[in-house]
Amino acid sequence: MSGPISPEDSATYIDEKRESVSRRSFELYPSRDTVVGNTHVRRALPKRQRRTIGAWCFADHFGPERLNGKPGMEVGPHPHIGLQTVTWLIEGEIVHRDSLGSEQPIHPGQLNLMTAGRGVSHSEESSGRKLPSIHGIQLWVAQPDTTRNDEPAFEHHDAIPEATFDNASAKVFMGSFGGATSSARTDTPIVGMEATLGIGASIFALRKDFEYGLIVLGGKVAFNSQMITPGNLAYFGTSRDELSLTAHEPSIFLLLGGEPFPYEPLMWWNFVARSREEITQAYSDWQSHAERFGQLTSVLDRIEAPKPQWL
Ligand code: MN
């Protein structure tokens, strides 16, 4: 599951009047419903008003969806630059293939992490013929200048560290939270975890130098009197040392956080970069089958790039 980013999600220029990071704010943004490779998704990030939370720059929540024997998600070979793709499932199975030669099924509670760097291509297929339903999220992490032109890489993690809290438990798949630390590669200080809440209140200690966002995957979670449900992104800003949440029914959510990213990335289609020139180069390299994106054979059709609006 991946992109593409359209101008509805993110402007095709760097916004010089970028909104500064909010301290101790609470903002609730509706996700945008869209379709990626036959799968309905709720796109929580990016928003035109907010491109990043830490280095997290993309979040597509898909399902839960009964596949009834249909193939489900089928996203053919497509390229990425300048980002990591983070795939996390609640139900079902997705098979990842990439131009590094990786072929990796992923199941609930496991992490697939692909680092694009200067260029990689991959495909993703759910296995609806084997498993009845699909539910999960795909996230992107923008890479910093220090690593975004490096070689691509892929990691699979099937042992995700867990943390426990009053009334809650968490699987920490990126960074550290509640005393648990993931061994997954991170290029900037970030955290990503899935929490399961029982009915009642839970308190989570936060880092004041991180900003945080929350996406409910199932159930509903109350922050003060505000109800957060699937299909919304809650943003909490920086400068909080704890987050107090109440669940009126068993709920599951994703908490994403990180040091505010030092600049606003330019996002177009499946590319994260710093300038239109870089994106134009990646576009023409993909369309000309350049060596940069490697070779990937798939039964699925290769996805051609649309022409950038500025060309
Ligand atoms: Mn992708």
Side-chain angles (χ1 to χ4, degrees), residues 2-5 78-83 140 267-272 303:
S2 269
I5 295 295
H78 61 279
H80 289 290
I81 63 167
L83 60 90
W140 295 354
M267 301 179 65
W268 182 83
W269 196 51
N270 288 299
F271 304 138
V272 173
I303 300 175

Side-chain angles (χ1 to χ4, degrees), residues 1-3 75 78-80 85 114 122 124 138 140 270:
M1 174 64 63
S2 269
V75 183
H78 61 279
H80 289 290
T85 61
M114 183 179 74
H122 74 146
E124 291 150 296
Q138 188 170 89
W140 295 354
N270 288 299

Side-chain angles (χ1 to χ4, degrees), residues 68-87:
N68 298 319
K70 293 181 309 222
M73 179 189 304
E74 290 189 313
V75 183
H78 61 279
H80 289 290
I81 63 167
L83 60 90
Q84 294 180 293
T85 61
V86 175
T87 307

Side-chain angles (χ1 to χ4, degrees), residues 32-305:
R32 185 169 81 79
D33 289 335
T34 185
V35 175
V36 179
N38 304 322
T39 303
H40 288 270
V41 305
R42 301 174 197 85
R43 181 157 298 158
L45 260 184
K47 311 301 297 180
R48 288 190 72 117
Q49 311 95 314
R50 185 161 300 287
R51 286 187 201 182
T52 52
I53 297 173
W56 299 99
C57 63
F58 176 92
D60 265 3
H61 175 202
F62 48 92
E65 183 179 335
R66 296 286 299 181
L67 298 176
N68 298 319
K70 293 181 309 222
M73 179 189 304
E74 290 189 313
V75 183
H78 61 279
H80 289 290
I81 63 167
L83 60 90
Q84 294 180 293
T85 61
V86 175
T87 307
W88 183 259
L89 292 181
I90 310 298
E91 293 174 49
E93 179 188 80
I94 291 176
V95 177
H96 161 99
R97 292 185 179 83
D98 66 37
S99 54
L100 299 165
S102 316
E103 179 173 335
Q104 182 64 60
I106 180 175
H107 299 107
Q110 302 178 341
L111 171 68
N112 269 359
L113 175 65
M114 183 179 74
T115 303
R118 63 184 297 275
V120 73
S121 57
H122 74 146
S123 66
E124 291 150 296
E125 298 161 54
S126 59
S127 305
R129 293 172 194 87
K130 283 166 57 184
L131 294 168
S133 59
I134 185 96
H135 186 200
I137 192 161
Q138 188 170 89
L139 306 156
W140 295 354
V141 183
Q143 291 184 257
D145 284 343
T146 48
T147 64
R148 67 190 187 87
N149 294 309
D150 289 353
E151 294 302 312
F154 177 78
E155 295 176 9
H156 173 80
H157 297 264
D158 55 13
I160 303 296
E162 299 200 20
T164 54
F165 309 86
D166 285 346
N167 227 18
S169 64
K171 295 178 177 130
V172 182
F173 53 84
M174 299 279 275
S176 295
F177 200 89
T181 298
S182 168
S183 57
R185 168 177 168 174
T186 54
D187 291 4
T188 55
I190 58 169
V191 65
M193 64 95 158
E194 178 211 275
T196 303
L197 265 63
I199 294 170
S202 300
I203 296 177
F204 302 94
L206 300 183
R207 281 177 60 159
K208 293 177 100 169
D209 58 332
F210 274 23
E211 56 182 342
Y212 291 91
L214 189 153
I215 299 168
V216 174
L217 302 179
K220 51 187 167 189
V221 175
F223 172 72
N224 295 332
S225 59
Q226 301 271 353
M227 202 63 77
I228 311 167
T229 56
N232 292 285
L233 169 73
Y235 176 74
F236 297 98
T238 61
S239 311
R240 295 179 186 274
D241 55 16
E242 63 177 36
L243 183 61
S244 181
L245 300 170
T246 303
H248 299 289
E249 56 187 85
S251 298
I252 181 165
F253 69 83
L254 227 61
L255 185 70
L256 307 174
E259 279 183 9
F261 206 60
Y263 58 83
E264 186 162 80
L266 189 58
M267 301 179 65
W268 182 83
W269 196 51
N270 288 299
F271 304 138
V272 173
R274 295 293 296 272
S275 69
R276 286 183 171 184
E277 290 69 27
E278 290 177 356
I279 286 174
T280 299
Q281 186 64 51
Y283 158 76
S284 63
D285 287 345
W286 177 246
Q287 293 308 89
S288 66
H289 298 246
E291 181 272 338
R292 171 180 190 175
F293 293 112
Q295 291 294 323
L296 171 60
T297 51
S298 171
V299 295
L300 302 174
D301 289 340
R302 183 181 197 269
I303 300 175
E304 302 302 326

